Amino acid sequence: MGVICEFELHSAALPLCGVAAAVETTLTVDNTVLGTDGEPALVFSTTGVDPDDIEAALTAADSVVDFVAIESALVESRYRVVLDTAHVGIYGELVDRQTYPSGALVTQHGWQVSAHFADRNALEAFSDTCREAGIDFQPRRLFEAEGSTESYGLTEPQREALRVAYRMGYFEVPRETDLATLADELDTTTSALSERLRRGHEQLVAETIASVE
C-alpha cells in the first residue's frame, strides 16, 4: 500500500532551480521519464514566461544535457528535459527508488514534491539520504496510500482534491467556485492543484472508460 508524502527539499543546487531563478517563476513538473541513454528526464511546464528566456536558461544550466520544446508560447510552455546524471543528486535518488514525483514544483530555492513511497521505512531512508547530502527535507503532509479497487489507482491527494472540487461545485456548469478558492481550501497552490486534478481525471478515465477498450 505504501505512503504518500508531500514535502519540500530546500537546496538551490537541485536540478532546474537555477532555471526557475533565471526566469523568475515556478516550474511545474508534469512527468518523469527516462532519457534515450537511461539518463533521468522530466517534462515541466510554466506560464507567462517568454520561451526565449526559458530556452536561454536551459542552455546555460549545467544539469541539463538536452531539451525539446513540446509547447512554446507565452501563455504556456512545456519542455522535455534530459538531466546530466552527474548533477541530479537527490532527484536521481527519488527516481531510482521508484518514488518519482506524482506532483512537483521547482522554485529558485528547491523542490516541492508529492511522492509515493513503498512504506515509512523507505520514506525515512530517503529523508536520511537528504540529510547526508546537506539538503533540508521538510515533510508537510503524510497519507496512507490506498490499494483497494475502489481507489481506481488515485493517490489520496488526488482523491481529496476531486472530492472537495465536487463538493464545492467546481464541476458544475456554470462553476460555483474557482481554482484559487479550491487551492486555499486544500492549502496548496493553484498550479499544483490544477496538475492534481488533471492527473486524477486521467487516472479515472484510464481505470473506467478506457479500461474497456
Side-chain angles (χ1 to χ4, degrees), residues 79-102:
Y79 291 87
R80 182 184 185 279
V81 177
V82 178
L83 301 173
D84 187 337
T85 54
H87 293 273
V88 295
I90 290 299
Y91 172 77
E93 288 283 336
L94 199 60
V95 175
D96 290 344
R97 292 170 188 267
Q98 297 183 341
T99 55
Y100 59 88
S102 56

Side-chain angles (χ1 to χ4, degrees), residues 12-123:
L14 287 166
L16 300 183
C17 288
V19 175
V23 297
E24 299 181 343
T25 193
T26 297
L27 313 178
T28 300
V29 177
D30 298 327
N31 195 13
T32 57
V33 293
L34 286 178
T36 54
D37 297 321
E39 296 157 311
L42 55 81
V43 175
F44 77 82
S45 60
T46 189
T47 59
V49 181
D50 189 326
D52 289 341
D53 293 338
I54 299 173
E55 293 174 16
L58 288 170
T59 300
D62 291 337
S63 62
V64 175
V65 174
D66 194 16
F67 65 88
V68 175
I70 300 173
E71 296 178 43
S72 183
L74 185 62
V75 175
E76 181 177 43
S77 295
R78 180 172 282 106
Y79 291 87
R80 182 184 185 279
V81 177
V82 178
L83 301 173
D84 187 337
T85 54
H87 293 273
V88 295
I90 290 299
Y91 172 77
E93 288 283 336
L94 199 60
V95 175
D96 290 344
R97 292 170 188 267
Q98 297 183 341
T99 55
Y100 59 88
S102 56
L105 299 176
V106 183
T107 71
Q108 61 179 319
H109 303 297
W111 282 51
Q112 300 170 21
V113 185
S114 175
H116 187 162
F117 292 83
D119 51 36
R120 290 176 183 266
N121 289 335
L123 173 58

